[in-house]
Amino acid sequence: MNGRDLVRSVKAVSQVGAAQGLRAVRASWRHRRADSAGLPQQGPARARVPGSLAGVDPAPGGGRVRFARSELRILVTVNGAVFWGWDGADPEPSYALAGVCPEPDARVTLEPDKDGGWRVVAERATVTVSRHGTIELCTPGGVLLRRELPPRWWEPEGGGEARWAQRAEVAADARFFGLGGRPSGPRLREGTYRMWNTAPPGAFGAADDPLSITMPVQMVVADAGTHLVFHDTTWDGTVALREGREGDGSGHDSVGSCELRMRGGPLRCWALVGTPSRVVRGWTQLTGGAVVPPSWALGHQHAVRGSGDGAGTEREVRRVVAGYQERGLPLDAVHLDVDHHRARRGPGLPGDPPGSLRRLADALRADGVRLVSVVEPGVGPERGDAVYDGGRAIDAFVRDPAGRAVRGVVHGGESVYPDFTAERVRKWWGGLYEARLAQGSSGFMHDVSEPLSFAGLGDRSLPLSARHDLDGRGADHREVHNVYGLCMARAGYEGLRELQPQERPFLCSRSGWAGMQRYGGSWSGGVATGWPGLRASLSLVVGLGLCGVPYAGADVGGSEGEPSPELFLRWFQLGAYLPLFRTHSALRGGRREPWRFGDDVLGHARVALDERRRLLPYFMTLAHFARRTGTPYVRPLWWAAPEDRALRDCEDAFLLGDSLLVAPVWEPGVRSREVLLPRGRWYDTVTGEAFEGPGRVTVSAPLARIPVLARAGAVVPVRAGDGGIALDVWAPAPGRTGGGYVAVEAGDGPEEPEIERYRVHRSGDRVVVEADGEDGGRPPHPVRVRGL
């Protein structure tokens, strides 16, 4: 235990009491002793590089390039994705891929290149391999996007997992995005980012890294084009980024760089080239489409922190719901936070009196409010406990190298942990959700699924030497840690699909990995209360969206401390335009209901809530397109114009779909702000004032609202007064056209919705809106033309 861990130990004891804190300290010591005995001892290591080219074996889609001390496999798939793997690494097995690897593109193969190298020329990218192992990724026209230098391995002389490093170069003007949920983004500055799912003790701020979702997924945007790279290894490591600089006058450019250093695992990589929309479509084809949340999950949700017992929590829930109803505020779901289930963990054993949770859920649903409960991975190791005994019967829990079940400390006390990398365990765990469903829960939030130790003591709740099944392959926790939350989400999602096949599951996970969108969304966890925390909320959502996780959000107001009325309101207004819109009673700092901040805040919050409800058909349309194409709901301003350097550097506004531009307020006292506009005409959605882009404009930002602009020609589906769908059509500029889509759902089942497409054009002083199709004709929904 080093000095930092000692400080964490003291914090654990001071925050949660001596007994619980000491349990956490003892668990940490046990884990370290297990690691010292169960992990290979670090000794001398021998460095290795690929060496010189020795031969080539072309094959459909690419082939293998043999070097003196390594072998490289190149594969181009039918969807245009490029794979390369060193030391014979293949695309599978992989927890990121959805199903099997796509078929190779039989039209391409390895062919000779200049200077003794080889290349693959595909429809969407050209890949060249030098005779020393440098890989260059180029556009179809041959413009260089990325140069991967020959890798280096450090292999223990006594055997074991080899560490490796891979350095890449990008254009001087390139900007980095992604790497999972990073609070300092969405544009990633120079620095080193760790690939290890964790969370700091207490609330996190913009400077804290890493957090609960780390992914080695980079989206790199430059003048020459956009590309996405994914280094498919689940091991711990770092990514060091350095932005390039362009020379002034006759000065030379300084290229940007990216260096990965991983402690093990295969050195394999996927790459996609094209426009941002094409890149994320290819990424979705590889890793799977995002789950569409039920319609109620796109509304407003509120998390209640109870008193730790069922009766106290029920009173708090009823108080909160009554408060919303008395004031006529829309509320779609209430979340029972972790305190409600502190006595017993696991989805099968809620800690409330028999029948009371069901009665509460039925009463809430009668008022249109759903109940969502928290599930943690830890299970209390008490004999006679149904969940614990059921897990022991199938050997479900993670064990140390000596064969003993590993014990850690989380909310509620000492716990053992299911091994979600085993299929039998996932199936058993998924069946446990039946108890919560029977008691009225409509959705689930997976908390501390990294998994973390209690009170932030250390960066894990399982020792690195702990053994996992890894779907029959076997591995220790060094390889499994980053995908533990992903596998837990899979267990929950597959269980819910089997238990309720006619309903779309609602599941959000605090931790995950590449491909987690197949099972649900994510929320930030405990963001620090303050104006920097407000910015971090948007950074997390944008970053996750670019990594393929479109449904995400952060708790409005933060998790610790008391926000000022203005901060809470500005955070609330931002949350109304994010996919997951959730307020939360703080750990320390009181409640977060809008009426607790005064009548002015309540009135302005009511406007934001009403606008969110009005935009629900638009959010549902975005959700279905995210599933089909991977395109996130929340997009950076450069999404449709990545060649615009000013947009690439803009982080204080975002696009909601194609139609709306949202410009939050980031500082106290601001009543107007500058907005950087992409090309085209934009309308203030409140005043109707028109602005021309590209360029900067100043817009009004009164306390009552944050600026929201609509693109000229947009068709935005909104909620009509009778609960149906209406169309807000923003007039196109003279000589221009527009259009939009509407996903018309019949319910919250798995059926595909009908997708309606509309075209908009001017005819003199009139704006004409037509349904796209063979018959054309008038839209079947009420139309309101705005901007004339």
Side-chain angles (χ1 to χ4, degrees), residues 327-535:
R327 294 164 179 85
L329 301 176
L331 179 66
D332 295 275
V334 171
H335 294 221
L336 298 180
D337 211 336
V338 66
D339 285 339
H340 181 60
H341 301 289
R342 175 165 291 185
R344 300 169 183 265
R345 279 95 50 212
L349 286 175
D352 65 303
S356 66
L357 187 60
R358 178 80 237 188
R359 290 192 297 271
L360 174 63
D362 290 342
L364 294 179
R365 185 170 293 205
D367 292 327
V369 180
R370 303 295 183 118
L371 197 64
V372 177
S373 58
V374 170
V375 175
E376 293 185 352
V379 174
E382 295 93 16
R383 295 293 181 99
D385 180 287
V387 175
Y388 178 64
D389 290 344
R392 289 180 64 244
I394 65 167
D395 190 21
F397 302 117
V398 178
R399 296 184 176 274
D400 63 19
R404 299 181 296 265
V406 176
R407 295 194 177 193
V409 178
V410 292
H411 294 104
E414 201 169 45
S415 300
V416 292
Y417 296 89
D419 182 7
F420 297 113
T421 67
E423 183 178 1
R424 72 181 189 284
V425 178
R426 291 195 296 268
K427 188 171 182 61
W428 162 73
W429 185 265
L432 297 178
Y433 288 77
E434 184 174 12
R436 292 276 181 98
L437 293 174
Q439 291 185 332
S441 293
S442 298
F444 302 91
M445 306 290 278
H446 285 181
D447 202 2
V448 296
S449 53
E450 292 79 3
L452 288 186
S453 64
F454 185 67
L457 181 61
D459 57 4
R460 60 188 182 275
S461 200
L462 294 169
L464 296 178
S465 58
R467 300 300 301 172
H468 296 265
D469 181 80
L470 205 66
D471 287 296
R473 301 190 300 276
D476 60 36
H477 196 64
R478 295 176 298 171
E479 186 173 354
V480 170
H481 177 86
N482 281 338
V483 295
Y484 188 88
L486 171 77
C487 294
M488 180 181 176
R490 177 182 176 183
Y493 176 78
E494 291 178 347
L496 292 171
R497 284 293 304 270
E498 185 172 338
L499 292 167
Q500 291 186 323
Q502 299 306 314
E503 294 187 24
R504 294 198 298 265
F506 174 70
L507 190 152
C508 270
S509 179
R510 193 176 84 171
S511 180
W513 203 64
M516 64 180 295
Q517 72 276 0
R518 299 190 298 263
Y519 313 120
S522 175
W523 96 104
S524 64
V527 62
T529 298
W531 293 94
L534 174 63
R535 280 186 174 269

Side-chain angles (χ1 to χ4, degrees), residues 144-149 167-171 227 255-258:
L144 179 65
L145 295 176
R146 188 182 190 92
R147 177 183 289 114
E148 297 261 352
L149 303 179
R167 187 173 186 274
E169 296 175 348
V170 297
H227 71 276
V255 298
S257 68
C258 166

Side-chain angles (χ1 to χ4, degrees), residues 666-756:
W666 305 110
E667 298 175 350
V670 171
R671 299 298 179 264
S672 67
R673 57 154 294 177
E674 278 195 345
V675 178
L676 181 62
L677 295 181
R679 185 177 301 276
R681 175 174 291 182
W682 296 84
Y683 298 98
D684 187 309
T685 56
V686 173
T687 67
E689 184 179 1
F691 304 95
E692 297 294 335
R696 289 188 176 274
V697 298
T698 300
V699 297
S700 177
L703 200 60
R705 64 183 179 91
I706 56 175
V708 178
L709 307 176
R711 189 191 301 271
V715 177
V716 182
V718 297
R719 184 169 179 167
D722 61 358
I725 293 176
L727 303 179
D728 271 4
V729 177
W730 292 90
R736 300 288 184 178
T737 60
Y741 298 87
V742 181
V744 182
E745 280 207 318
D748 285 334
E751 299 82 9
E752 288 292 322
E754 178 186 357
I755 303 296
E756 301 173 350

